[in-house]
Amino acid sequence: MAFIRKFDTTRLDKLTGQEADTYSLLRQDVFEGKVFPAVRAGRIDFYYKGGRLYKFYSTRFERDAKYTNYCADGGRDDYESAKKQKGIAYGRF
């Protein structure tokens, strides 16, 4: 069975609000080599420090809610909190 690796990138161009802000931060980290994007059939998974940081579907990003238990927000924005929580969950901070 072959892997299906395709994604309509025009979806990313249509993002607004918080979704556009999250994409901007993810994109910057991808270019810096901190986050790895993995193209799947109809979605993109973004990996950070050994775990999936976000899933992007048609118009939204999703986080795995179980990682919010690993640390308090501490005044960080949502994106930085997500990265911190993911790193702690995988013992990489």
Side-chain angles (χ1 to χ4, degrees):
M1 176 179 208
F3 288 104
I4 299 172
R5 305 270 189 211
K6 64 180 182 175
F7 183 80
D8 180 7
T9 58
T10 60
R11 296 180 200 175
L12 295 169
D13 298 331
K14 297 176 184 175
L15 295 176
T16 60
Q18 180 64 36
E19 301 298 324
D21 294 343
T22 300
Y23 174 63
S24 175
L25 294 166
L26 279 168
R27 184 177 175 184
Q28 180 179 342
D29 279 352
V30 167
F31 284 124
E32 292 177 7
K34 297 176 184 175
V35 172
F36 176 77
V39 177
R40 310 287 189 223
R43 75 173 202 262
I44 300 176
D45 293 340
F46 293 91
Y47 289 88
Y48 177 73
K49 294 193 179 257
R52 187 173 54 208
L53 183 60
Y54 284 99
K55 295 184 282 187
F56 178 77
Y57 290 98
S58 60
T59 59
R60 61 186 162 74
F61 289 95
E62 284 187 10
R63 286 182 58 209
D64 189 337
K66 69 182 175 184
Y67 295 110
T68 60
N69 298 327
Y70 283 94
C71 71
D73 180 66
R76 293 179 177 82
D77 61 35
D78 290 340
Y79 181 72
E80 288 302 317
S81 289
K83 286 177 21 180
K84 180 77 172 175
Q85 291 159 356
K86 182 61 71 179
I88 289 172
Y90 282 87
R92 297 198 172 133
F93 265 99

